[in-house]
Amino acid sequence: MDKRLTLKIDKIVEETTNIKTFTFKHKLDAKPGQFIMLTDFEGGEKPFSISNCTKAKFSITVKKIGDFTTRLFNKCVGDYVSIRGAFGSSFFISKNKVLLVGGGYAVPTLYFLAKVLLKAGAHVTLINGARTKSEHIFADRFKKLHIDVINSTDDDSFGEKGTSVDVARKLLGLRPKLGNQKHDFDFIYASGPEMMMKALQDVIGEIDYEFLFERYMKCGIGICGGCTMDPLGVRLCVEGPVLSKKKVEQLTEFGKYHRDASGKRITF
Ligand SMILES: Cc1cc2nc3c(=O)[nH]c(=O)nc-3n(C[C@H](O)[C@H](O)[C@H](O)COP(=O)(O)OP(=O)(O)OC[C@H]3O[C@@H](n4cnc5c(N)ncnc54)[C@H](O)[C@@H]3O)c2cc1C
Ligand code: FES
C-alpha cells in the first residue's frame, strides 16, 4: 500500500562492518521478494528488500554503499524513518524441492522466503555465497531454520570454495558433483548481483525459476518509468522485482546494462 508510515527503529544488528539489519515493530503486510521505499527525511527515498517479517515486526538488511546508506548506518535504536510499501511482486511459493541461490547483501530476502517455503511444506536447499568470510551473512539464522545450507566464499575463507554459481553448477550435476550427489530441484529462486544471476541462468537447464532484480527506482509505484527493463517495459517496482523464467528469458538488457538516475545506460 502507498500509505506513508513513520516508524521507530526497534533493533539494529551489525552483521558485518558494512551490513546492518534494522528491525521495526510494525505488522507489515508483505510477502517474500517485496520491498519498501524508505526515507530518513534528509534527502532521497530508497528501495530495500524485506529480510524478515512476522506478525509484529519486519526487518531490512542494508549494505553501506553511498550517502543514503551511510546516513542510515549512523541511525540508532529509537530514531525515526519513514516507509512506504510493501511494493512489487513476490516469489511463487512452491511446496516441492527447491533451491535458493543468494549472493552478498541480497541473501537476507531469501531468509524471509525460506521461512514461508518451509511453512508451505517445501524442501529447501540454500546456497549462501559471499566474496569472503567477513562479508558472509545470515549463516547463523539459516542454520536455525534446519534447511540444507551450503555456505560458500569466492576466496575459500568460509564454506565451499567458489561463487554461489560454482556451487550450483556442482549441485545440479553439470560438473563434478558435490559429495557425489546429483540433486534434482523442482524450482530455483535467486537473489544477488545481476551477473551472478546471469551466470546462474546458464547452469539451470530446464528447471523453472524466479530471479529478484534490482534497478534504479524513484517512485516505487509504477509512475516514473525509471525501473523498466528492455524490451518488455516491465516496471520492476510493480511487475517485479521478482520475475518469472518466461519474462527473464525475454529481457535483452539482462546482464548487459542498467540505467542510472538520469536514465543513462550503464554497461555491467
Ligand atoms: C528492489 C530493490 C531492493 C533492494 N534491496 C536492498 C537491500 O535489501 N539491501 C541493500 O543494502 N540495498 C538494497 N537495494 C539497493 C539500495 O536501494 C541501494 O544500495 C541504495 O539506494 C544506495 O543508496 P546510497 O545513496 O547509499 O548509494 P549511492 O551512492 O546513491 O548508490 C550506490 C549504488 O546503489 C544503487 N542505487 C542508488 N540509488 C538507488 C535507487 N534509488 N534504486 C535502486 N538502486 C539504487 C545503484 O546501483 C548505485 O550505483 C535494493 C534495490 C532495489 C531496486
Ligand atoms: S520506480 Fe518509478 S516506475 Fe518503477
Side-chain angles (χ1 to χ4, degrees):
M1 64 143 71
D2 194 26
K3 201 174 122 196
R4 179 169 292 291
L5 288 167
T6 297
L7 299 174
K8 201 192 272 190
I9 298 172
D10 183 54
K11 189 178 169 192
I12 301 174
V13 174
E14 195 167 338
E15 310 285 354
T16 68
T17 51
N18 62 357
I19 299 182
K20 282 185 182 178
T21 296
F22 299 84
T23 299
F24 304 92
K25 259 191 201 156
H26 174 72
K27 186 180 181 298
L28 189 72
D29 185 11
K31 294 185 185 131
Q34 290 190 300
F35 66 94
I36 55 161
M37 295 296 290
L38 183 147
T39 181
D40 61 352
F41 313 105
E42 290 176 46
E45 192 187 24
K46 302 284 185 179
F48 297 100
S49 297
I50 295 148
S51 56
N52 197 12
C53 190
T54 66
K55 279 182 186 149
K57 293 180 181 185
F58 77 93
S59 306
I60 55 169
T61 301
V62 177
K63 180 170 185 177
K64 184 167 69 170
I65 195 168
D67 290 350
F68 188 93
T69 45
T70 300
R71 288 205 309 268
L72 204 52
F73 251 61
N74 294 333
K75 300 271 176 232
C76 302
V77 169
D79 285 348
Y80 287 91
V81 295
S82 180
I83 70 146
R84 293 185 292 133
F87 295 136
S89 60
S90 57
F91 286 112
F92 156 72
I93 301 303
S94 169
K95 292 183 168 68
N96 299 319
K97 197 171 175 200
V98 299
L99 175 65
L100 280 54
V101 183
Y105 75 75
V107 166
T109 191
L110 298 178
Y111 176 71
F112 180 21
L113 173 64
K115 282 174 51 178
V116 175
L117 286 168
L118 283 176
K119 216 170 169 186
H123 182 278
V124 181
T125 300
L126 165 80
I127 301 171
N128 180 0
R131 278 188 303 191
T132 188
K133 188 178 180 182
S134 59
E135 293 176 11
H136 196 279
I137 53 173
F138 271 52
D140 53 341
R141 260 154 281 183
F142 281 114
K143 198 173 171 186
K144 284 186 193 147
L145 290 185
H146 302 294
I147 58 174
D148 294 335
V149 180
I150 304 167
N151 295 305
S152 72
T153 46
D154 300 2
D155 65 359
D156 202 17
S157 53
F158 180 60
E160 297 286 326
K161 181 180 179 354
T163 65
S164 301
V165 178
D166 292 335
V167 177
R169 189 181 291 115
K170 290 180 196 166
L171 201 59
L172 294 167
L174 302 177
R175 285 275 169 88
K177 299 156 198 162
L178 263 188
N180 289 326
Q181 264 186 302
K182 184 175 190 273
H183 289 258
D184 294 312
F185 295 97
D186 299 297
F187 205 86
I188 296 180
Y189 303 89
S191 174
E194 189 154 322
M195 297 317 283
M196 178 205 92
M197 297 194 295
K198 185 71 184 165
L200 181 67
Q201 193 187 33
D202 293 337
V203 304
I204 278 179
E206 294 303 308
I207 307 170
D208 200 2
Y209 64 81
E210 283 180 344
F211 290 170
L212 191 154
F213 284 83
E214 289 186 12
R215 279 291 187 275
Y216 202 96
M217 289 185 182
K218 297 173 191 171
C219 68
I221 50 169
I223 297 169
C224 70
C227 65
T228 52
M229 284 185 85
D230 293 335
L232 302 180
V234 279
R235 295 160 304 171
L236 278 186
C237 65
V238 177
E239 289 88 35
V242 176
L243 295 181
S244 65
K245 176 180 184 175
K246 195 176 167 195
K247 285 209 174 105
V248 174
E249 284 179 345
Q250 296 175 68
L251 296 172
T252 47
E253 70 168 83
F254 176 33
K256 292 201 174 111
Y257 61 88
H258 61 105
R259 291 174 197 275
D260 67 10
S262 71
K264 197 176 90 188
R265 285 186 187 187
I266 311 282
T267 308
F268 277 108

PDB file of all heavy atoms in Angstrom, residues 35 45-49 61-63 65-70 105 213-217 241, ligand 1:
ATOM      1  N   PHE A  35       9.567  -5.202  -1.477  1.00  0.00           N
ATOM      2  CA  PHE A  35      10.477  -4.196  -0.924  1.00  0.00           C
ATOM      3  C   PHE A  35       9.689  -3.019  -0.354  1.00  0.00           C
ATOM      4  O   PHE A  35       8.496  -2.871  -0.634  1.00  0.00           O
ATOM      5  CB  PHE A  35      11.443  -3.700  -2.014  1.00  0.00           C
ATOM      6  CG  PHE A  35      10.764  -2.950  -3.124  1.00  0.00           C
ATOM      7  CD1 PHE A  35      10.668  -1.565  -3.104  1.00  0.00           C
ATOM      8  CD2 PHE A  35      10.191  -3.627  -4.198  1.00  0.00           C
ATOM      9  CE1 PHE A  35      10.018  -0.874  -4.128  1.00  0.00           C
ATOM     10  CE2 PHE A  35       9.539  -2.941  -5.226  1.00  0.00           C
ATOM     11  CZ  PHE A  35       9.453  -1.560  -5.185  1.00  0.00           C
ATOM     12  N   GLU A  45      14.761   8.804  -1.182  1.00  0.00           N
ATOM     13  CA  GLU A  45      13.956   7.678  -0.705  1.00  0.00           C
ATOM     14  C   GLU A  45      14.471   6.466  -1.477  1.00  0.00           C
ATOM     15  O   GLU A  45      14.593   6.536  -2.711  1.00  0.00           O
ATOM     16  CB  GLU A  45      12.480   7.945  -1.013  1.00  0.00           C
ATOM     17  CG  GLU A  45      11.549   6.994  -0.324  1.00  0.00           C
ATOM     18  CD  GLU A  45      10.106   7.187  -0.779  1.00  0.00           C
ATOM     19  OE1 GLU A  45       9.892   7.692  -1.893  1.00  0.00           O
ATOM     20  OE2 GLU A  45       9.189   6.787  -0.025  1.00  0.00           O
ATOM     21  N   LYS A  46      14.790   5.393  -0.799  1.00  0.00           N
ATOM     22  CA  LYS A  46      15.478   4.273  -1.463  1.00  0.00           C
ATOM     23  C   LYS A  46      14.771   2.949  -1.205  1.00  0.00           C
ATOM     24  O   LYS A  46      14.185   2.747  -0.138  1.00  0.00           O
ATOM     25  CB  LYS A  46      16.916   4.177  -0.935  1.00  0.00           C
ATOM     26  CG  LYS A  46      17.752   5.431  -1.136  1.00  0.00           C
ATOM     27  CD  LYS A  46      18.227   5.595  -2.555  1.00  0.00           C
ATOM     28  CE  LYS A  46      19.165   6.786  -2.685  1.00  0.00           C
ATOM     29  NZ  LYS A  46      19.651   6.946  -4.054  1.00  0.00           N
ATOM     30  N   PRO A  47      14.874   2.017  -2.186  1.00  0.00           N
ATOM     31  CA  PRO A  47      14.233   0.710  -2.020  1.00  0.00           C
ATOM     32  C   PRO A  47      15.104  -0.286  -1.238  1.00  0.00           C
ATOM     33  O   PRO A  47      16.316  -0.358  -1.466  1.00  0.00           O
ATOM     34  CB  PRO A  47      14.065   0.228  -3.474  1.00  0.00           C
ATOM     35  CG  PRO A  47      15.154   0.912  -4.237  1.00  0.00           C
ATOM     36  CD  PRO A  47      15.476   2.184  -3.516  1.00  0.00           C
ATOM     37  N   PHE A  48      14.474  -1.048  -0.363  1.00  0.00           N
ATOM     38  CA  PHE A  48      15.164  -2.113   0.370  1.00  0.00           C
ATOM     39  C   PHE A  48      14.245  -3.325   0.491  1.00  0.00           C
ATOM     40  O   PHE A  48      13.068  -3.191   0.843  1.00  0.00           O
ATOM     41  CB  PHE A  48      15.577  -1.637   1.781  1.00  0.00           C
ATOM     42  CG  PHE A  48      16.563  -0.502   1.743  1.00  0.00           C
ATOM     43  CD1 PHE A  48      16.144   0.806   1.932  1.00  0.00           C
ATOM     44  CD2 PHE A  48      17.907  -0.742   1.472  1.00  0.00           C
ATOM     45  CE1 PHE A  48      17.043   1.864   1.852  1.00  0.00           C
ATOM     46  CE2 PHE A  48      18.815   0.308   1.395  1.00  0.00           C
ATOM     47  CZ  PHE A  48      18.388   1.616   1.586  1.00  0.00           C
ATOM     48  N   SER A  49      14.799  -4.501   0.220  1.00  0.00           N
ATOM     49  CA  SER A  49      14.031  -5.745   0.317  1.00  0.00           C
ATOM     50  C   SER A  49      13.732  -6.069   1.773  1.00  0.00           C
ATOM     51  O   SER A  49      14.510  -5.720   2.668  1.00  0.00           O
ATOM     52  CB  SER A  49      14.834  -6.911  -0.270  1.00  0.00           C
ATOM     53  OG  SER A  49      15.055  -6.695  -1.635  1.00  0.00           O
ATOM     54  N   THR A  61      17.808  -5.420   5.606  1.00  0.00           N
ATOM     55  CA  THR A  61      19.247  -5.606   5.817  1.00  0.00           C
ATOM     56  C   THR A  61      19.964  -4.764   4.768  1.00  0.00           C
ATOM     57  O   THR A  61      19.752  -4.939   3.568  1.00  0.00           O
ATOM     58  CB  THR A  61      19.602  -7.095   5.711  1.00  0.00           C
ATOM     59  OG1 THR A  61      18.846  -7.796   6.715  1.00  0.00           O
ATOM     60  CG2 THR A  61      21.085  -7.334   5.938  1.00  0.00           C
ATOM     61  N   VAL A  62      20.792  -3.827   5.247  1.00  0.00           N
ATOM     62  CA  VAL A  62      21.302  -2.762   4.381  1.00  0.00           C
ATOM     63  C   VAL A  62      22.821  -2.776   4.308  1.00  0.00           C
ATOM     64  O   VAL A  62      23.506  -2.856   5.331  1.00  0.00           O
ATOM     65  CB  VAL A  62      20.844  -1.384   4.919  1.00  0.00           C
ATOM     66  CG1 VAL A  62      21.405  -0.245   4.085  1.00  0.00           C
ATOM     67  CG2 VAL A  62      19.314  -1.313   4.961  1.00  0.00           C
ATOM     68  N   LYS A  63      23.326  -2.666   3.072  1.00  0.00           N
ATOM     69  CA  LYS A  63      24.774  -2.529   2.881  1.00  0.00           C
ATOM     70  C   LYS A  63      25.121  -1.061   2.720  1.00  0.00           C
ATOM     71  O   LYS A  63      24.492  -0.340   1.929  1.00  0.00           O
ATOM     72  CB  LYS A  63      25.211  -3.303   1.637  1.00  0.00           C
ATOM     73  CG  LYS A  63      26.701  -3.196   1.391  1.00  0.00           C
ATOM     74  CD  LYS A  63      27.178  -4.134   0.325  1.00  0.00           C
ATOM     75  CE  LYS A  63      28.696  -4.045   0.243  1.00  0.00           C
ATOM     76  NZ  LYS A  63      29.272  -4.970  -0.702  1.00  0.00           N
ATOM     77  N   ILE A  65      26.824   1.767   1.178  1.00  0.00           N
ATOM     78  CA  ILE A  65      27.409   1.815  -0.168  1.00  0.00           C
ATOM     79  C   ILE A  65      27.579   3.248  -0.670  1.00  0.00           C
ATOM     80  O   ILE A  65      28.421   3.522  -1.517  1.00  0.00           O
ATOM     81  CB  ILE A  65      26.531   0.962  -1.117  1.00  0.00           C
ATOM     82  CG1 ILE A  65      27.221   0.635  -2.427  1.00  0.00           C
ATOM     83  CG2 ILE A  65      25.204   1.604  -1.412  1.00  0.00           C
ATOM     84  CD1 ILE A  65      26.478  -0.427  -3.234  1.00  0.00           C
ATOM     85  N   GLY A  66      26.780   4.188  -0.125  1.00  0.00           N
ATOM     86  CA  GLY A  66      26.844   5.586  -0.578  1.00  0.00           C
ATOM     87  C   GLY A  66      26.270   6.506   0.489  1.00  0.00           C
ATOM     88  O   GLY A  66      26.160   6.127   1.663  1.00  0.00           O
ATOM     89  N   ASP A  67      25.880   7.723   0.091  1.00  0.00           N
ATOM     90  CA  ASP A  67      25.440   8.746   1.052  1.00  0.00           C
ATOM     91  C   ASP A  67      24.239   8.309   1.889  1.00  0.00           C
ATOM     92  O   ASP A  67      24.229   8.429   3.109  1.00  0.00           O
ATOM     93  CB  ASP A  67      25.042  10.036   0.305  1.00  0.00           C
ATOM     94  CG  ASP A  67      26.263  10.722  -0.272  1.00  0.00           C
ATOM     95  OD1 ASP A  67      27.388  10.292   0.073  1.00  0.00           O
ATOM     96  OD2 ASP A  67      26.083  11.665  -1.065  1.00  0.00           O
ATOM     97  N   PHE A  68      23.204   7.802   1.203  1.00  0.00           N
ATOM     98  CA  PHE A  68      21.960   7.471   1.896  1.00  0.00           C
ATOM     99  C   PHE A  68      22.187   6.347   2.916  1.00  0.00           C
ATOM    100  O   PHE A  68      21.786   6.450   4.077  1.00  0.00           O
ATOM    101  CB  PHE A  68      20.901   7.053   0.868  1.00  0.00           C
ATOM    102  CG  PHE A  68      19.536   6.867   1.447  1.00  0.00           C
ATOM    103  CD1 PHE A  68      18.623   7.911   1.456  1.00  0.00           C
ATOM    104  CD2 PHE A  68      19.155   5.652   2.007  1.00  0.00           C
ATOM    105  CE1 PHE A  68      17.357   7.745   2.010  1.00  0.00           C
ATOM    106  CE2 PHE A  68      17.901   5.480   2.555  1.00  0.00           C
ATOM    107  CZ  PHE A  68      16.995   6.529   2.557  1.00  0.00           C
ATOM    108  N   THR A  69      22.827   5.283   2.448  1.00  0.00           N
ATOM    109  CA  THR A  69      23.009   4.126   3.340  1.00  0.00           C
ATOM    110  C   THR A  69      24.009   4.452   4.458  1.00  0.00           C
ATOM    111  O   THR A  69      23.908   3.900   5.558  1.00  0.00           O
ATOM    112  CB  THR A  69      23.433   2.883   2.536  1.00  0.00           C
ATOM    113  OG1 THR A  69      24.457   3.252   1.602  1.00  0.00           O
ATOM    114  CG2 THR A  69      22.268   2.289   1.776  1.00  0.00           C
ATOM    115  N   THR A  70      24.922   5.384   4.216  1.00  0.00           N
ATOM    116  CA  THR A  70      25.849   5.792   5.285  1.00  0.00           C
ATOM    117  C   THR A  70      25.065   6.539   6.373  1.00  0.00           C
ATOM    118  O   THR A  70      25.274   6.313   7.570  1.00  0.00           O
ATOM    119  CB  THR A  70      26.979   6.690   4.724  1.00  0.00           C
ATOM    120  OG1 THR A  70      27.685   5.931   3.741  1.00  0.00           O
ATOM    121  CG2 THR A  70      27.937   7.140   5.811  1.00  0.00           C
ATOM    122  N   TYR A 105      24.697  -8.939  -0.125  1.00  0.00           N
ATOM    123  CA  TYR A 105      23.659  -8.322   0.714  1.00  0.00           C
ATOM    124  C   TYR A 105      22.248  -8.707   0.277  1.00  0.00           C
ATOM    125  O   TYR A 105      21.273  -8.400   0.972  1.00  0.00           O
ATOM    126  CB  TYR A 105      23.816  -6.790   0.750  1.00  0.00           C
ATOM    127  CG  TYR A 105      23.375  -6.070  -0.507  1.00  0.00           C
ATOM    128  CD1 TYR A 105      22.021  -5.897  -0.791  1.00  0.00           C
ATOM    129  CD2 TYR A 105      24.300  -5.553  -1.402  1.00  0.00           C
ATOM    130  CE1 TYR A 105      21.605  -5.236  -1.944  1.00  0.00           C
ATOM    131  CE2 TYR A 105      23.906  -4.895  -2.545  1.00  0.00           C
ATOM    132  CZ  TYR A 105      22.550  -4.746  -2.814  1.00  0.00           C
ATOM    133  OH  TYR A 105      22.149  -4.104  -3.953  1.00  0.00           O
ATOM    134  N   PHE A 213      15.313  -8.890  -9.257  1.00  0.00           N
ATOM    135  CA  PHE A 213      16.134  -7.873  -9.917  1.00  0.00           C
ATOM    136  C   PHE A 213      16.163  -6.566  -9.140  1.00  0.00           C
ATOM    137  O   PHE A 213      15.175  -6.189  -8.520  1.00  0.00           O
ATOM    138  CB  PHE A 213      15.577  -7.573 -11.311  1.00  0.00           C
ATOM    139  CG  PHE A 213      15.898  -8.640 -12.317  1.00  0.00           C
ATOM    140  CD1 PHE A 213      15.114  -9.774 -12.408  1.00  0.00           C
ATOM    141  CD2 PHE A 213      16.994  -8.516 -13.144  1.00  0.00           C
ATOM    142  CE1 PHE A 213      15.413 -10.764 -13.328  1.00  0.00           C
ATOM    143  CE2 PHE A 213      17.304  -9.500 -14.060  1.00  0.00           C
ATOM    144  CZ  PHE A 213      16.514 -10.631 -14.156  1.00  0.00           C
ATOM    145  N   GLU A 214      17.296  -5.894  -9.205  1.00  0.00           N
ATOM    146  CA  GLU A 214      17.398  -4.543  -8.640  1.00  0.00           C
ATOM    147  C   GLU A 214      17.748  -3.575  -9.755  1.00  0.00           C
ATOM    148  O   GLU A 214      18.717  -3.772 -10.470  1.00  0.00           O
ATOM    149  CB  GLU A 214      18.490  -4.496  -7.567  1.00  0.00           C
ATOM    150  CG  GLU A 214      18.104  -5.243  -6.313  1.00  0.00           C
ATOM    151  CD  GLU A 214      19.126  -5.075  -5.201  1.00  0.00           C
ATOM    152  OE1 GLU A 214      20.011  -4.205  -5.314  1.00  0.00           O
ATOM    153  OE2 GLU A 214      19.021  -5.835  -4.230  1.00  0.00           O
ATOM    154  N   ARG A 215      16.931  -2.544  -9.919  1.00  0.00           N
ATOM    155  CA  ARG A 215      17.195  -1.471 -10.866  1.00  0.00           C
ATOM    156  C   ARG A 215      16.975  -0.153 -10.149  1.00  0.00           C
ATOM    157  O   ARG A 215      16.295  -0.107  -9.120  1.00  0.00           O
ATOM    158  CB  ARG A 215      16.222  -1.550 -12.062  1.00  0.00           C
ATOM    159  CG  ARG A 215      16.620  -2.543 -13.113  1.00  0.00           C
ATOM    160  CD  ARG A 215      17.885  -2.075 -13.838  1.00  0.00           C
ATOM    161  NE  ARG A 215      18.208  -2.915 -14.973  1.00  0.00           N
ATOM    162  CZ  ARG A 215      18.894  -4.047 -14.924  1.00  0.00           C
ATOM    163  NH1 ARG A 215      19.321  -4.502 -13.775  1.00  0.00           N
ATOM    164  NH2 ARG A 215      19.170  -4.725 -16.028  1.00  0.00           N
ATOM    165  N   TYR A 216      17.516   0.934 -10.682  1.00  0.00           N
ATOM    166  CA  TYR A 216      17.349   2.243 -10.063  1.00  0.00           C
ATOM    167  C   TYR A 216      15.855   2.562  -9.950  1.00  0.00           C
ATOM    168  O   TYR A 216      15.135   2.520 -10.939  1.00  0.00           O
ATOM    169  CB  TYR A 216      18.058   3.335 -10.873  1.00  0.00           C
ATOM    170  CG  TYR A 216      18.353   4.537 -10.021  1.00  0.00           C
ATOM    171  CD1 TYR A 216      19.599   4.692  -9.420  1.00  0.00           C
ATOM    172  CD2 TYR A 216      17.375   5.493  -9.770  1.00  0.00           C
ATOM    173  CE1 TYR A 216      19.855   5.774  -8.597  1.00  0.00           C
ATOM    174  CE2 TYR A 216      17.633   6.573  -8.945  1.00  0.00           C
ATOM    175  CZ  TYR A 216      18.873   6.705  -8.365  1.00  0.00           C
ATOM    176  OH  TYR A 216      19.125   7.766  -7.537  1.00  0.00           O
ATOM    177  N   MET A 217      15.385   2.854  -8.734  1.00  0.00           N
ATOM    178  CA  MET A 217      13.970   3.148  -8.516  1.00  0.00           C
ATOM    179  C   MET A 217      13.780   4.548  -7.954  1.00  0.00           C
ATOM    180  O   MET A 217      14.550   4.963  -7.088  1.00  0.00           O
ATOM    181  CB  MET A 217      13.357   2.115  -7.564  1.00  0.00           C
ATOM    182  CG  MET A 217      13.205   0.759  -8.208  1.00  0.00           C
ATOM    183  SD  MET A 217      12.354  -0.390  -7.133  1.00  0.00           S
ATOM    184  CE  MET A 217      12.406  -1.864  -8.139  1.00  0.00           C
ATOM    185  N   PRO A 241       9.942  -6.734  -8.246  1.00  0.00           N
ATOM    186  CA  PRO A 241      11.302  -7.094  -8.655  1.00  0.00           C
ATOM    187  C   PRO A 241      11.511  -8.579  -8.942  1.00  0.00           C
ATOM    188  O   PRO A 241      12.529  -8.958  -9.498  1.00  0.00           O
ATOM    189  CB  PRO A 241      12.160  -6.660  -7.463  1.00  0.00           C
ATOM    190  CG  PRO A 241      11.250  -6.796  -6.283  1.00  0.00           C
ATOM    191  CD  PRO A 241       9.885  -6.429  -6.790  1.00  0.00           C
TER     192      PRO A 241
HETATM  193  C1  LIG B   1      14.057  -3.815  -5.326  1.00  0.00           C
HETATM  194  C2  LIG B   1      15.329  -3.380  -4.644  1.00  0.00           C
HETATM  195  C3  LIG B   1      15.686  -3.959  -3.439  1.00  0.00           C
HETATM  196  C4  LIG B   1      16.858  -3.581  -2.791  1.00  0.00           C
HETATM  197  N1  LIG B   1      17.159  -4.177  -1.610  1.00  0.00           N
HETATM  198  C5  LIG B   1      18.275  -3.814  -0.950  1.00  0.00           C
HETATM  199  C6  LIG B   1      18.584  -4.414   0.306  1.00  0.00           C
HETATM  200  O1  LIG B   1      17.850  -5.262   0.817  1.00  0.00           O
HETATM  201  N2  LIG B   1      19.721  -4.007   0.927  1.00  0.00           N
HETATM  202  C7  LIG B   1      20.553  -3.066   0.388  1.00  0.00           C
HETATM  203  O2  LIG B   1      21.566  -2.741   1.011  1.00  0.00           O
HETATM  204  N3  LIG B   1      20.278  -2.491  -0.793  1.00  0.00           N
HETATM  205  C8  LIG B   1      19.162  -2.832  -1.478  1.00  0.00           C
HETATM  206  N4  LIG B   1      18.871  -2.241  -2.684  1.00  0.00           N
HETATM  207  C9  LIG B   1      19.800  -1.240  -3.220  1.00  0.00           C
HETATM  208  C10 LIG B   1      19.656   0.057  -2.448  1.00  0.00           C
HETATM  209  O3  LIG B   1      18.442   0.680  -2.797  1.00  0.00           O
HETATM  210  C11 LIG B   1      20.863   0.950  -2.773  1.00  0.00           C
HETATM  211  O4  LIG B   1      22.035   0.312  -2.292  1.00  0.00           O
HETATM  212  C12 LIG B   1      20.742   2.303  -2.122  1.00  0.00           C
HETATM  213  O5  LIG B   1      19.714   3.015  -2.731  1.00  0.00           O
HETATM  214  C13 LIG B   1      22.063   3.037  -2.236  1.00  0.00           C
HETATM  215  O6  LIG B   1      21.890   4.400  -1.924  1.00  0.00           O
HETATM  216  P1  LIG B   1      23.165   5.272  -1.479  1.00  0.00           P
HETATM  217  O7  LIG B   1      22.836   6.728  -1.540  1.00  0.00           O
HETATM  218  O8  LIG B   1      23.708   4.775  -0.204  1.00  0.00           O
HETATM  219  O9  LIG B   1      24.244   4.946  -2.593  1.00  0.00           O
HETATM  220  P2  LIG B   1      24.529   5.689  -3.978  1.00  0.00           P
HETATM  221  O10 LIG B   1      25.933   6.153  -3.929  1.00  0.00           O
HETATM  222  O11 LIG B   1      23.441   6.652  -4.310  1.00  0.00           O
HETATM  223  O12 LIG B   1      24.416   4.484  -4.999  1.00  0.00           O
HETATM  224  C14 LIG B   1      25.198   3.311  -4.936  1.00  0.00           C
HETATM  225  C15 LIG B   1      24.534   2.289  -5.828  1.00  0.00           C
HETATM  226  O13 LIG B   1      23.280   1.910  -5.256  1.00  0.00           O
HETATM  227  C16 LIG B   1      22.288   1.763  -6.257  1.00  0.00           C
HETATM  228  N5  LIG B   1      21.201   2.724  -6.038  1.00  0.00           N
HETATM  229  C17 LIG B   1      21.313   4.017  -5.662  1.00  0.00           C
HETATM  230  N6  LIG B   1      20.096   4.586  -5.590  1.00  0.00           N
HETATM  231  C18 LIG B   1      19.209   3.641  -5.953  1.00  0.00           C
HETATM  232  C19 LIG B   1      17.804   3.637  -6.113  1.00  0.00           C
HETATM  233  N7  LIG B   1      17.053   4.728  -5.898  1.00  0.00           N
HETATM  234  N8  LIG B   1      17.212   2.486  -6.517  1.00  0.00           N
HETATM  235  C20 LIG B   1      17.950   1.372  -6.733  1.00  0.00           C
HETATM  236  N9  LIG B   1      19.281   1.320  -6.601  1.00  0.00           N
HETATM  237  C21 LIG B   1      19.906   2.445  -6.232  1.00  0.00           C
HETATM  238  C22 LIG B   1      22.981   1.999  -7.581  1.00  0.00           C
HETATM  239  O14 LIG B   1      23.391   0.743  -8.089  1.00  0.00           O
HETATM  240  C23 LIG B   1      24.193   2.798  -7.230  1.00  0.00           C
HETATM  241  O15 LIG B   1      25.239   2.584  -8.121  1.00  0.00           O
HETATM  242  C24 LIG B   1      17.715  -2.600  -3.367  1.00  0.00           C
HETATM  243  C25 LIG B   1      17.367  -2.014  -4.588  1.00  0.00           C
HETATM  244  C26 LIG B   1      16.189  -2.411  -5.232  1.00  0.00           C
HETATM  245  C27 LIG B   1      15.835  -1.805  -6.543  1.00  0.00           C
END
